[in-house]
Amino acid sequence: MSTQSVENRRHKVVVIGSGFGGLFGTKHLKRADVDVTLISKTSTHLFQPLLYQVATGILSVGEIAPATRLVLRKQKNAQVLMGEVVDIDLEHNTVTSRLLNQDTVTPFDSLIVATGAQQSYFGNDHFATYAPGMKTIDDALELRGRILGAFESAELATTQEMRDRLLTFVVVGAGPTGVELAGQIAELSDRTLEGTFHNIDPRDARVILIEGAGAVLGPMGPKLGGKAQRRLEKMGVEIQLNAMVTDIDAHGVTVKDADGTLRRIESSCKVWSAGVQASPLGKMLAERSEGTEVDRAGRVIVEPDLTIKGHPNVFVVGDLMSVPDVPGQAQGAIQGATYAAKQIKAGLKGQTPEQRKPFKYFNKGSMATVSRFSAVCQVGKLEFGGFIAWLAWLALHLYYLVGYRSRIITVIQWFVTFLGRTRGQMAATEQWVFARLALEQVAEDQEDADELAAALGAPPAGNGRAPGKAAPDRAVS
């Protein structure tokens, strides 16, 4: 290639991740004189805040996870590649992604890393076998199968002890996800499933919300946390504060109270929403960029312009970035990605990295829904709850859903669920519950993994490693 052709080629931007950060960063470059390649290990843009509604039968996967290719179909300068990023070469400006056993190397001039976070079990990764998190579509579908399967198994239980264990649901972590999920399990048992079984009364189900700290929705303050707690307790949810989960197995959890007392809760269905950790790519970037560090959660401590030290063309946004006073929420990812895209466009016009203004986060507030007709909302110094907060929550989440079709169907599903007693997405299969464990077992066996990859049309593994083992989502024993 001649020098002239190299100089005239378009600026190449690689975006890693198809969440809020990745999608908004890509869309903000729509009219820029660049070629954008979005690399993601999933084929969809996932609206994570509504995952719990998939898990409890309110919404379908399609409403909260449209195909990324369809979302970006009209953006002519954007290409979508499916694959898990296994290497970022900062010296040669390339990203290597892997789909099954096939590697793809993509060069870049600018890079936006928006791979988000995954569930953290605080060093107890074996908990994941019995208590799935709430970060992926697979998690939500598995959880739906576990919740509905618990009621079905309780109908067939031959002893009261077995029935009680099956009808006890434990949610670990009283943040927004835990609060929303506990509230919906309670409503599912009290309203939707009432009168649908012969041998059991679903209203007898126990929903227990366990929190290691001393408050529900701690970051939102005592006023809103107190409102949420009182509403949950009115619905029958048992809230246990200052309680640390020390062990989880197939039949229950072991809890340590503030006084050091250990006790046992027998439960067949457990959910983990107690913490998050950054994508492994954060550690990789820090190791390959001299002077860059990560915090305790694995998030990259970025420069004021959201780049890493020595690499002004590499931006880290969303849950993967560590910036003071920027929460791990959609707004932080959207604002960070939009900022990064603006800096890339400004650079094309001659702006130098030294001329960049630091990233400033505008806090638009936070909210969480507790039950139908009840939510809590915080906007600046204004704090309110109840029905008005619930309407505000509905409006905000509708606004950020991608596509008019998704919004219309979501409104219909909400109308049916919240004004009636039924839910439109109550299908669940045994395969949803056990598929993750089966795949993990296959991945541990190289021969079985190669056979599976070959069945899916992938070339044989040449690196002695099973597909997906380079950077697994979750490690389990």
Side-chain angles (χ1 to χ4, degrees):
M1 182 180 294
S2 67
T3 303
Q4 183 68 23
S5 63
V6 171
E7 291 176 351
N8 291 338
R9 73 173 177 81
R10 278 157 65 96
H11 189 91
K12 295 183 179 296
V13 180
V14 170
V15 179
I16 306 176
S18 61
F20 285 107
L23 185 66
F24 276 78
T26 300
K27 295 179 74 172
H28 201 78
L29 293 167
K30 181 176 182 179
R31 293 179 176 84
D33 187 25
V34 299
D35 289 321
V36 185
T37 301
L38 186 150
I39 304 174
S40 176
K41 66 180 181 179
T42 67
S43 62
T44 62
H45 163 66
L46 176 61
F47 191 87
Q48 271 192 1
L50 291 179
L51 264 180
Y52 79 95
Q53 293 198 2
V54 173
T56 52
I58 299 175
L59 296 178
S60 70
V61 170
E63 274 62 81
I64 71 164
T68 310
R69 291 185 182 279
L70 297 182
V71 175
L72 298 174
R73 176 167 49 190
K74 295 182 179 179
Q75 185 167 336
K76 301 304 181 183
N77 68 339
Q79 176 190 14
V80 178
L81 294 181
M82 188 173 177
E84 182 174 14
V85 172
V86 295
D87 185 63
I88 300 176
D89 189 335
L90 298 180
E91 182 179 351
H92 298 96
N93 283 0
T94 61
V95 172
T96 301
S97 57
R98 177 173 297 144
L99 180 60
L100 296 176
N101 292 326
Q102 183 172 347
D103 288 354
T104 301
V105 179
T106 307
F108 66 84
D109 297 304
S110 295
L111 177 65
I112 300 177
V113 186
T115 48
Q118 57 196 35
Q119 208 69 59
S120 172
Y121 290 86
F122 306 111
N124 299 294
D125 291 339
H126 61 283
F127 288 0
T129 301
Y130 310 106
M134 279 292 291
K135 287 295 180 183
T136 68
I137 294 172
D138 290 332
D139 289 338
L141 293 178
E142 177 180 346
L143 183 56
R144 188 197 298 178
R146 285 177 180 254
I147 293 172
L148 299 180
F151 285 104
E152 296 293 344
S153 296
E155 174 77 355
L156 301 174
T158 56
T159 66
Q160 187 62 41
E161 180 183 6
M162 183 185 302
R163 187 175 296 116
D164 290 342
R165 184 175 71 244
L166 289 165
L167 291 180
T168 298
F169 301 87
V170 174
V171 180
V172 183
T177 299
V179 166
E180 291 166 346
L181 192 56
Q184 282 306 312
I185 295 176
E187 287 195 342
L188 180 68
S189 60
D190 286 344
R191 288 178 54 82
T192 306
L193 296 179
E194 181 190 3
T196 60
F197 291 89
H198 179 75
N199 295 326
I200 63 170
D201 185 346
R203 294 174 298 179
D204 292 337
R206 291 179 65 196
V207 182
I208 303 173
L209 181 61
I210 299 177
E211 170 58 43
V216 172
L217 297 176
M220 297 185 73
K223 178 181 177 181
L224 295 183
K227 282 180 176 290
Q229 181 172 345
R230 289 189 294 273
R231 175 57 183 161
L232 287 173
E233 289 174 339
K234 186 176 181 180
M235 297 169 63
V237 177
E238 302 175 30
I239 298 176
Q240 302 180 5
L241 303 177
N242 297 306
M244 301 293 294
V245 173
T246 61
D247 195 21
I248 299 179
D249 57 37
H251 298 301
V253 301
T254 302
V255 179
K256 182 178 181 180
D257 290 317
D259 60 3
T261 304
L262 290 176
R263 55 188 172 85
R264 174 81 174 172
I265 301 176
E266 296 295 321
S267 168
S268 292
C269 185
K270 289 83 61 179
V271 191
W272 188 273
S273 63
V276 296
Q277 62 184 13
S279 157
L281 290 185
K283 182 179 179 181
M284 179 188 295
L285 287 172
E287 291 174 345
R288 299 183 181 184
S289 170
E290 185 175 353
T292 300
E293 299 178 350
V294 296
D295 63 13
R296 293 180 61 184
R299 297 173 298 185
V300 180
I301 301 176
V302 295
E303 298 295 281
D305 62 354
L306 305 187
T307 63
I308 58 177
K309 292 182 183 296
H311 299 275
N313 64 326
V314 178
F315 297 86
V316 180
V317 303
D319 289 348
L320 192 60
M321 70 179 183
S322 178
V323 178
D325 301 321
V326 178
Q329 298 175 350
Q331 275 300 319
I334 292 170
Q335 292 183 35
T338 301
Y339 170 88
K342 287 181 177 179
Q343 305 317 306
I344 292 173
K345 291 192 288 187
L348 296 176
K349 297 177 180 179
Q351 182 192 71
T352 64
E354 291 74 22
Q355 295 174 312
R356 294 173 181 167
K357 293 181 180 180
F359 169 70
K360 290 186 178 180
Y361 174 69
F362 176 65
N363 188 353
K364 297 183 179 180
S366 57
M367 56 180 62
T369 181
V370 184
S371 65
R372 70 189 191 108
F373 308 148
S374 179
V376 291
C377 184
Q378 182 182 58
V379 182
K381 295 183 179 180
L382 179 63
E383 297 181 344
F384 59 100
F387 184 70
I388 299 300
W390 184 73
L391 290 179
W393 181 93
L394 292 180
L396 180 68
H397 285 69
L398 272 180
Y399 176 79
Y400 281 111
L401 276 175
V402 174
Y404 289 107
R405 176 190 173 279
S406 293
R407 292 169 185 164
I408 292 171
I409 295 178
T410 296
V411 168
I412 294 173
Q413 296 281 27
W414 283 349
F415 184 85
V416 170
T417 300
F418 298 136
L419 296 184
R421 301 173 66 89
T422 63
R423 301 189 178 205
Q425 303 297 325
M426 295 292 285
T429 71
E430 190 175 19
Q431 184 169 309
W432 290 358
V433 177
F434 297 107
R436 172 176 59 90
L437 301 178
L439 285 173
E440 289 170 350
Q441 186 173 358
V442 167
E444 292 175 358
D445 188 297
Q446 182 63 49
E447 183 177 349
D448 287 348
D450 284 344
E451 289 181 1
L452 177 60
L456 295 173
N463 54 12
R465 181 169 53 220
K469 294 295 281 184
D473 279 342
R474 179 190 296 131
V476 296
S477 61

